[in-house]
Amino acid sequence: MWKYILRRILYTIPIAIGVYTITFLLFHLRDPIAIAKVHLPQAPLPVLQDWVRANNYHLPLFLNLPHHAEEVRPDGRVHPEFKEKSIFYSRYFLGLKDLITFNFGKDKNNRDILEQMKERAIPSLSVMFPAFVISIFISLFFSLLSVYSPLWVDRTISFFAVVSMSIAIPVYLLLAGWIFGSFLKIVPIYGDPLPAIIVAVIAGLGGQIRFYRTVLMDQKYQLFVRASRLRGATTWYVLIFHVLRNASIPILTTVMMSLPFLITGSLLLEQFFGIPGMGDMMYSAIISQDFPVIRALVYLGAFLYMLGNVLTDISYAFVDPRIRLE
Amino acid sequence: MNQTQQRLKKISYIIVSIYFVIGLLDLISFRDSMGAKFSLLDALFVKVLNVQKERTYTEPFGLYRESKHFEKPKGLHILGTDINGNDVLLQTLKGAKTALLLAIGVNLIAIPIGIVLGVIAGYFGGWIDDIIQWFYTTVASIPWLLFVITFLMIFGRGMIWIIIAIGLTSWVELARIARGETLKLREMNFIKSSLIVGKSHFRILWEEILPNLSSIVKITFALSSSHIIVAETVLTFIGIGIEPGSSSWGIMIAEAPRELLRDPPIWWNFFSASFLGILPLILALNILAEER
């Protein structure tokens, strides 16, 4: 089993490099001056060139080859100092070094991005974690009800699940804002986690119910389930020791794969309800065109996703004996 | 599949076709004598139903006005008008064109990439499979929304960039499924026999494997279209989607936070976009995408 786990962890290294490369290309394929223009819309050319230098955009892209030192750049500068540097003195490798050492740099207001992320993870978590736990229980309840009840109940639940999947998130937000703000007037909508939690639960419910229903339906007609029933086991016994246990692998996968969203939060939700979490950080970075913040968030999101993937596979090894033997 | 489900699927087909026809009607446009663009749908509304542009908001059915300083509405507006005085029903129908273009554009990029990579990985196996698997796992690891947002921030907002950004990221699931399906097909006897007969790999892929993937492609088309339409509203809501000025459901919803806070609230714009525009279409697409 340890061999399996080790192999699984080593496999993430090429994926991490791939993620870094794609993200790097996304941020660096365009002309640096054009990116500077996005950043500082009305600035004159010298200011733009200074921005390019300050953000290391004047360095060679992948490798610091000898010709880069003599090359005359669009800003009229030659870089003889490149000669003394190593071949890896380039945007790609300097960026990789920063990433490995968790040096995300500073945002537009000169604050450390990593520090901000640490601060903002907690509000995100305080909304997403309760929502996550509550929605697992509610959706498991409804999907069990759907599987073990007359056909018309199943149909009704399925239909409402599909309808709730078909409503876009902004619509949920606006409806919630309207209902909480105009009709109920119980809670202040802005800055309070409670309405955000309620909306997060309701918006995700439909998809989860559909998914768990399919998983449980597959288990319901398995032979061992029927055999156990024939031997006289009660519904509850079969449900807990056969159906839920065997359904735990797909359920575990979805649980693990939603871990990144617990920390990075939901962009729209946090922006709408004024939760100072990471989704809100993302939103303000989009509004102020803050590239370093966006880049750091892309890396963080990808890192958490890969972490979730590895944890899922490792947890399989504990739940499913077939994997342990491989 | 039972009767109810069949009936539901039939209704869904009809709904999607209606949206398709409306989108096409709005796509066919010509210039009038003043040089302004004019689509068939506009012509239908203005010439046949006599729906005129107003000065500002009017309520559904145009029965009474927001304030008595404004004159009486010129035409009948079943769903009222928006801030620019455009008929909301017409705007909602016009949103179908944007949705249609987005869905077709994204799928034109994503489906070929997904199918080609998935089929090649599944059919040839070995190191080709390893590389393709590595590639799609990598793309899947990058948070989808963040990739699209970054892409739009760097290249600018607008329809074409949204299509490219979403198209470049949404092929992963299809590639994964196509790979699994090809793996299964490869072991089947009809493929083995055509190899023995001497068919080239390319002909086997083209004539034997691709036709067997058509149901997957159909499902993916329906499902990803519904995702794209929702994604458009999200992106426009954040403020980096479709530019204001063109008509899309995302724009109508993005304007809603301010409109709902007015007194009296302007609810019809938001409601018709989300419950007449998006909901039936996405619901129909989701029902069509169901396997069983």
Side-chain angles (χ1 to χ4, degrees):
Chain A
M1 189 172 79
W2 293 110
K3 218 172 150 187
Y4 165 80
I5 292 174
L6 185 71
R7 203 174 56 211
R8 200 55 206 75
I9 292 170
L10 285 180
Y11 182 60
T12 46
I13 294 173
I15 292 172
I17 292 173
V19 168
Y20 174 68
T21 310
I22 291 179
T23 318
F24 174 82
L25 287 176
L26 186 62
F27 278 100
H28 289 268
L29 270 187
R30 259 191 111 186
D31 174 36
I33 295 287
I35 297 176
K37 236 178 225 160
V38 174
H39 215 88
L40 308 160
Q42 259 116 39
L45 193 62
V47 177
L48 294 181
Q49 286 162 353
D50 284 342
W51 185 89
V52 165
R53 281 183 75 83
N55 287 281
N56 277 346
Y57 270 104
H58 65 299
L59 299 184
L61 204 56
F62 283 108
L63 288 173
N64 181 23
L65 297 171
H67 69 86
H68 282 299
E70 279 104 40
E71 194 183 314
V72 181
R73 308 197 153 257
D75 55 353
R77 282 179 170 133
V78 191
H79 299 289
E81 79 270 17
F82 283 7
K83 250 182 200 157
E84 297 139 28
K85 307 283 184 184
S86 80
I87 193 163
F88 296 120
Y89 187 68
S90 67
R91 286 184 239 167
Y92 185 82
F93 288 102
L94 286 181
L96 193 59
K97 196 184 118 204
D98 281 349
L99 188 61
I100 291 169
T101 53
F102 287 104
N103 176 15
F104 287 135
K106 302 248 161 79
D107 71 353
K108 258 190 173 173
N109 303 326
N110 231 355
R111 283 175 304 179
D112 192 61
I113 294 174
L114 190 65
E115 286 299 314
Q116 275 197 66
M117 278 178 169
K118 281 179 195 158
E119 275 168 31
R120 281 167 175 269
I122 295 153
S124 284
L125 211 59
S126 70
V127 170
M128 297 305 273
F129 186 71
F132 173 73
V133 175
I134 295 169
S135 71
I136 284 181
F137 278 106
I138 297 181
S139 52
L140 266 179
F141 171 75
F142 275 110
S143 48
L144 280 172
L145 194 70
S146 188
V147 173
Y148 288 98
S149 41
L151 194 62
W152 66 271
V153 177
D154 180 28
R155 289 257 174 79
T156 321
I157 292 175
S158 293
F159 181 74
F160 278 105
V162 178
V163 171
S164 91
M165 277 163 72
S166 307
I167 298 174
I169 309 149
V171 178
Y172 276 116
L173 289 175
L174 289 168
L175 280 179
W178 203 29
I179 290 169
F180 285 127
S182 303
F183 290 127
L184 299 179
K185 290 181 181 161
I186 305 170
V187 276
I189 347 173
Y190 205 73
D192 193 317
L194 188 66
I197 292 172
I198 295 173
V199 174
V201 169
I202 292 174
L205 217 51
Q208 277 184 323
I209 290 176
R210 299 268 321 145
F211 177 75
Y212 292 144
R213 183 187 162 275
T214 331
V215 170
L216 293 172
M217 228 23 160
D218 282 345
Q219 293 299 323
K220 190 187 173 186
Y221 296 108
Q222 297 280 334
L223 276 179
F224 55 82
V225 172
R226 260 189 273 174
S228 182
R229 287 305 291 270
L230 281 176
R231 283 200 299 273
T234 58
T235 313
W236 280 103
Y237 179 85
V238 175
L239 191 70
I240 292 167
F241 287 98
H242 292 299
V243 173
L244 275 184
R245 193 175 166 198
N246 279 287
S248 63
I249 289 183
I251 292 174
L252 202 64
T253 314
T254 47
V255 169
M256 287 290 182
M257 290 333 284
S258 47
L259 285 182
F261 300 102
L262 294 189
I263 295 168
T264 53
S266 163
L267 202 162
L268 287 183
L269 205 68
E270 292 188 2
Q271 182 253 325
F272 192 82
F273 288 112
I275 311 255
M278 234 179 271
D280 183 61
M281 182 181 180
M282 204 183 300
Y283 183 77
S284 24
I286 294 165
I287 296 301
S288 61
Q289 303 263 347
D290 204 333
F291 277 57
V293 176
I294 297 275
R295 188 166 48 201
L297 285 167
V298 173
Y299 289 146
L300 180 78
F303 173 76
L304 290 172
Y305 179 89
M306 289 186 287
L307 190 72
N309 242 331
V310 172
L311 287 180
T312 314
D313 285 356
I314 291 173
S315 58
Y316 280 171
F318 287 101
V319 175
D320 189 347
R322 283 170 297 184
I323 291 174
R324 239 177 292 165
L325 285 174
E326 238 175 54
Chain B
M1 198 193 288
N2 59 41
Q3 220 180 356
T4 335
Q5 276 168 315
Q6 267 176 345
R7 211 173 291 154
L8 262 180
K9 286 217 168 181
K10 206 180 253 171
I11 297 171
S12 308
Y13 263 119
I14 294 170
I15 292 175
V16 174
S17 328
I18 290 172
Y19 277 92
F20 189 77
V21 170
I22 293 170
L24 279 186
L25 277 182
D26 198 32
L27 261 180
I28 304 166
S29 60
F30 45 88
R31 288 183 189 281
D32 63 0
S33 53
M34 307 288 281
K37 255 199 167 172
F38 220 69
S39 78
L40 266 178
L41 194 69
D42 294 326
L44 183 77
F45 264 74
V46 175
K47 300 268 157 61
V48 182
L49 301 175
N50 194 27
V51 172
Q52 303 294 326
K53 203 172 151 128
E54 306 293 337
R55 283 199 179 172
T56 180
Y57 293 117
T58 47
E59 286 201 306
F61 295 106
L63 292 180
Y64 44 97
R65 290 139 279 154
E66 195 190 348
S67 138
K68 47 185 145 173
H69 301 295
F70 295 113
E71 66 253 55
K72 205 174 171 346
K74 285 174 233 151
L76 174 67
H77 302 286
I78 298 171
L79 291 172
T81 57
D82 65 7
I83 189 165
N84 298 320
N86 294 314
D87 186 66
V88 168
L89 181 62
L90 178 61
Q91 292 298 315
T92 310
L93 295 181
K94 271 170 155 309
K97 180 183 82 173
T98 313
L100 184 76
L101 287 178
L102 279 172
I104 291 178
V106 169
N107 280 309
L108 273 181
I109 298 175
I111 287 182
I113 300 179
I115 283 286
V116 167
L117 289 181
V119 165
I120 289 176
Y123 186 78
F124 292 107
W127 61 272
I128 299 178
D129 188 17
D130 288 341
I131 286 180
I132 291 175
Q133 275 199 61
W134 165 78
F135 187 53
Y136 70 58
T137 319
T138 303
V139 174
S141 302
I142 302 173
W144 180 85
L145 188 64
L146 274 171
F147 180 91
V148 174
I149 287 170
T150 314
F151 196 94
L152 293 177
M153 275 173 74
I154 289 179
F155 290 95
R157 60 193 288 184
M159 186 92 144
I160 195 81
W161 293 116
I162 294 180
I163 290 175
I164 293 173
I166 301 181
L168 285 179
T169 44
S170 58
W171 53 270
V172 175
E173 203 46 45
L174 179 63
R176 202 174 273 160
I177 300 168
R179 174 180 168 273
E181 205 61 24
T182 313
L183 271 177
K184 250 189 270 169
L185 287 171
R186 194 180 64 170
E187 300 304 319
M188 289 194 176
N189 282 332
F190 69 100
I191 303 278
K192 284 185 180 162
S193 58
S194 32
L195 256 179
I196 294 168
V197 168
K199 271 195 180 180
S200 66
H201 287 311
F202 180 75
R203 277 191 64 189
I204 291 176
L205 288 177
W206 187 253
E207 290 171 8
E208 321 269 2
I209 291 188
L210 269 190
N212 275 304
L213 296 177
S214 62
S215 65
I216 295 175
V217 173
K218 262 185 231 159
I219 290 173
T220 310
F221 189 89
L223 209 58
S224 70
S225 302
S226 83
H227 288 327
I228 293 150
I229 293 163
V230 173
E232 186 265 320
T233 60
V234 172
L235 290 173
T236 312
F237 199 77
I238 302 170
I240 51 172
I242 307 275
E243 302 106 321
S246 49
S247 42
S248 87
W249 297 323
I251 291 175
M252 293 169 82
I253 291 175
E255 283 168 358
R258 263 173 293 137
E259 293 182 344
L260 288 176
L261 285 180
R262 280 167 177 262
D263 196 33
I266 313 287
W267 51 270
W268 49 90
N269 207 3
F270 161 65
F271 267 71
S272 84
S274 42
F275 297 115
L276 273 171
I278 299 174
L279 184 64
L281 181 59
I282 307 277
L283 194 58
L285 285 170
N286 280 345
I287 289 172
L288 286 180
E290 258 168 59
E291 280 142 271
R292 269 167 289 182

